[in-house]
């Protein structure tokens, strides 16, 4: 039964107005203004094969805010490393250019063209923990769908994107030092006046990086890469089970298209073998439609098979006790399933042009809160 409505940002865009607009610096400023959650996340694909993300998360559910650092690092051929730690106190500069908590610092320059990140949360807790530093150089304007906000009952959920940039990284994972470069994107997520578990019952997130099939392998580099990202969720049944989505296509680190309608199909559903109790798909088909930055209709299809398990995150297990008890009373068992696909192919169809296929690798994240 539907108790409250969901109104998407896309549905509020008036005829004749652009569905997507350029994000501004204030869209990426910390809010921390009400019951809800907020994250600042850097996702990356490096040329040495390492994929993952680093994130500062702020959550306010009861009488006290909780700050966490979350990070995933995966190098093919090695065990995936997932770390989540108490960030204790979040310090944010007045202009929101600099912010830090225990184990993770992020610092933008004035026009947000460059981001410096220092992650030490793992190493601070144990000698074998991860430490890494990143320099993200933004190569494209940011975007948002409409004003960026979906209205869910009395609350809002917003996402703002810097979809393309070059990244250099150095650090130590699994006891091995590394230095590499690659492609990255940055997302600011913010929900207000709504419990985080009421925003979405199911989330599908992907970050694909690759090159045209026709491009010789010796010509491929981080500078010539294309990327396709999706952040899609479906609101709980009590809020209408409404599909909310954001997606983008980049080419040579420039925004190529914004896609505001993504349909997600789950196929070959099987019982999770790792004890979560959920049925999860072996095949996921993403179909995104929108327009290129110069106004052409575009359709992107990703027939994905995220078969390589990276990590399964038992969300309740990772939460502080008080927050866990509150969430557990309302959700049976929230889980995040992180997967990797090393032979991914994405088909791109642009109005007036020959369709083409990108081949590359993809990071997948499926979140179920039912």
């Amino acid at each position: 039964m539907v108790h409250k409505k969901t109104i998407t940002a896309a549905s509020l865009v008036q005829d004749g107005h652009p569905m997507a607009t350029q994000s501004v610096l204030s869209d990426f400023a910390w809010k921390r203004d009400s019951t809800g959650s907020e994250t600042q996340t850097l996702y990356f694909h490096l040329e040495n094969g390492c994929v993952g993300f680093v994130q500062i998360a702020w959550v306010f559910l009861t009488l006290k805010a909780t700050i966490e650092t979350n990070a995933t690092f995966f190098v093919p051929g090695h065990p995936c490393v997932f770390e989540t730690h108490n960030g204790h106190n979040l310090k944010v500069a007045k202009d929101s250019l600099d912010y830090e908590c225990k184990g993770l610092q992020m610092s933008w320059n004035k026009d947000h063209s460059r981001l410096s990140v220092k992650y030490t949360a793992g190493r601070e807790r144990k000698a074998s923990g991860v430490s890494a530093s990143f320099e993200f150089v933004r190569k494209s304007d940011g975007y948002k769908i409409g004003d960026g906000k979906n209205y869910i009952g009395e609350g809002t959920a917003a996402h703002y994107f810097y979809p393309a940039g070059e990244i250099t990284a150095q650090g130590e994972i699994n006891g091995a030092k590394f230095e590499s470069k690659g492609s990255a994107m940055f997302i600011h997520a913010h929900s207000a006046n709504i419990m985080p578990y009421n925003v979405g019952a199911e989330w599908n997130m992907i970050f694909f990086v690759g090159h045209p099939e026709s491009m010789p392998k010796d010509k491929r580099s981080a500078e010539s890469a294309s990327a396709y990202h999706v952040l899609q969720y479906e609101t709980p049944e009590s809020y209408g089970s409404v599909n909310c989505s954001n997606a983008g296509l980049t080419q040579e680190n420039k925004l190529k298209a914004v896609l505001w309608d993504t349909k997600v199909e789950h196929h070959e559903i099987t019982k999770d073998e790792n004890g979560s109790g959920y049925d999860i798909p072996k095949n996921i088909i993403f179909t995104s439609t929108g327009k290129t930055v110069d106004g052409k209709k575009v359709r992107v299809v990703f027939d994905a098979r995220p078969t390589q398990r990276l990590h399964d995150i038992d969300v309740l297990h990772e939460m502080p006790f008080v927050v866990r008890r509150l969430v557990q009373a309302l959700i049976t068992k929230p889980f995040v399933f992180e997967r990797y696909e090393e032979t991914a192919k994405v088909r791109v169809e642009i109005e007036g042009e020959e369709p083409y296929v990108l081949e590359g690798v993809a990071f997948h994240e499926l979140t179920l809160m039912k």
Side-chain angles (χ1 to χ4, degrees):
M1 180 181 294
V2 177
H3 301 296
K4 298 179 180 181
K5 291 183 178 180
T6 295
I7 303 171
T8 66
S11 69
L12 292 173
V13 176
Q14 298 180 0
D15 291 343
H17 290 259
M19 190 67 72
T21 57
Q22 183 175 328
S23 55
V24 296
L25 298 188
S26 60
D27 291 331
F28 295 89
W30 284 95
K31 306 297 189 292
R32 299 179 296 164
D33 52 3
S34 65
T35 297
S37 64
E38 192 165 4
T39 57
Q40 305 271 9
T41 312
L42 178 68
Y43 293 89
F44 54 86
H45 283 267
L46 303 181
E47 289 184 338
N48 68 350
C50 182
V51 301
F53 68 86
V54 290
Q55 177 187 82
I56 297 179
W58 175 93
V59 181
F60 187 83
L61 300 183
T62 51
L63 299 176
K64 184 180 179 181
T66 298
I67 296 95
E68 288 186 347
T69 62
N70 301 302
T72 289
F73 300 87
F74 172 66
V75 178
H78 299 275
C80 178
V81 177
F82 171 75
E83 298 180 337
T84 183
H85 297 291
N86 187 337
H88 295 284
N89 181 38
L90 178 60
K91 300 176 182 178
V92 181
K94 288 184 179 180
D95 55 11
S96 248
L97 292 177
D98 301 284
Y99 38 91
E100 65 177 294
C101 62
K102 182 176 175 58
L104 183 53
Q105 301 173 351
M106 295 186 175
S107 179
W108 290 97
N109 64 354
K110 287 187 177 181
D111 64 357
H112 275 207
S113 61
R114 182 181 293 270
L115 171 69
S116 298
V117 177
K118 185 176 182 181
Y119 176 81
T120 58
R123 180 59 53 83
E124 289 178 8
R125 270 72 176 190
K126 58 182 180 179
S128 61
V130 175
S131 63
S133 60
F134 304 89
E135 289 288 330
F136 171 65
V137 179
R138 181 169 61 87
K139 294 294 184 178
S140 177
D141 291 332
Y143 80 87
K144 55 190 173 185
I145 306 299
D147 70 353
K149 295 179 182 178
N150 295 314
Y151 293 81
I152 305 171
E154 302 301 318
T156 60
H159 291 89
Y160 307 100
F161 297 79
Y162 284 138
E166 296 174 2
I167 192 169
T168 55
Q170 58 184 356
E172 188 172 337
I173 304 172
N174 296 314
K177 293 184 178 181
F178 73 93
E179 186 170 346
S180 188
K181 63 178 181 177
S183 301
M185 71 170 177
F186 189 88
I187 302 175
H188 177 211
H190 172 248
S191 66
N193 298 314
I194 186 170
M195 294 293 192
Y197 45 78
N198 282 331
V199 175
E202 176 184 300
W203 297 69
N204 293 273
M205 182 271 172
I206 55 170
F207 182 31
F208 163 92
V209 172
H211 295 82
E213 276 187 320
S214 59
M215 180 179 287
K217 290 199 169 42
D218 62 354
K219 300 293 184 182
R220 301 179 183 185
S221 65
E223 292 79 9
S224 64
S226 296
Y228 168 57
H229 68 264
V230 173
L231 196 159
Q232 179 271 349
Y233 59 92
E234 183 178 282
T235 59
E237 184 179 358
S238 58
Y239 290 85
S241 299
V242 175
N243 177 39
C244 303
S245 66
N246 303 264
L249 178 70
T250 68
Q251 181 178 315
E252 296 180 348
N253 283 317
K254 300 292 183 183
L255 183 62
K256 179 75 173 178
V258 176
L259 313 158
W260 50 83
D261 185 8
T262 298
K263 301 293 189 298
V264 180
E265 304 170 49
H266 287 186
H267 299 284
E268 300 179 32
I269 311 296
T270 59
K271 180 71 69 176
D272 175 34
E273 298 175 352
N274 298 297
S276 71
Y278 278 109
D279 296 329
I280 56 177
K282 291 184 177 180
N283 175 222
I284 308 175
I285 300 175
F286 299 85
T287 304
S288 302
T289 56
K291 287 188 177 182
T292 62
V293 293
D294 57 357
K296 297 178 182 179
K297 293 180 180 179
V298 60
R299 180 173 180 263
V300 180
V301 180
F302 182 17
D303 189 345
R305 288 192 170 274
T307 54
Q308 185 164 351
R309 176 176 178 259
L310 300 186
H311 193 77
D312 297 342
I313 304 169
D314 182 342
V315 178
L316 290 180
H317 177 75
E318 303 293 350
M319 283 182 170
F321 177 77
V322 175
V323 178
R324 184 191 317 145
R325 296 293 292 176
L326 175 62
V327 175
Q328 201 166 27
L330 299 163
I331 306 174
T332 53
K333 202 172 188 182
F335 249 85
V336 180
F337 302 91
E338 294 184 342
R339 299 291 185 266
Y340 178 72
E341 187 173 1
E342 63 180 348
T343 56
K345 292 191 176 184
V346 171
R347 179 178 172 85
V348 180
E349 302 167 2
I350 298 175
E351 182 181 15
E353 301 180 15
E354 283 294 318
Y356 61 93
V357 173
L358 299 169
E359 59 180 13
V361 297
F363 172 77
H364 293 255
E365 201 170 71
L366 169 64
T367 303
L368 298 174
M369 292 196 282
K370 299 178 180 180

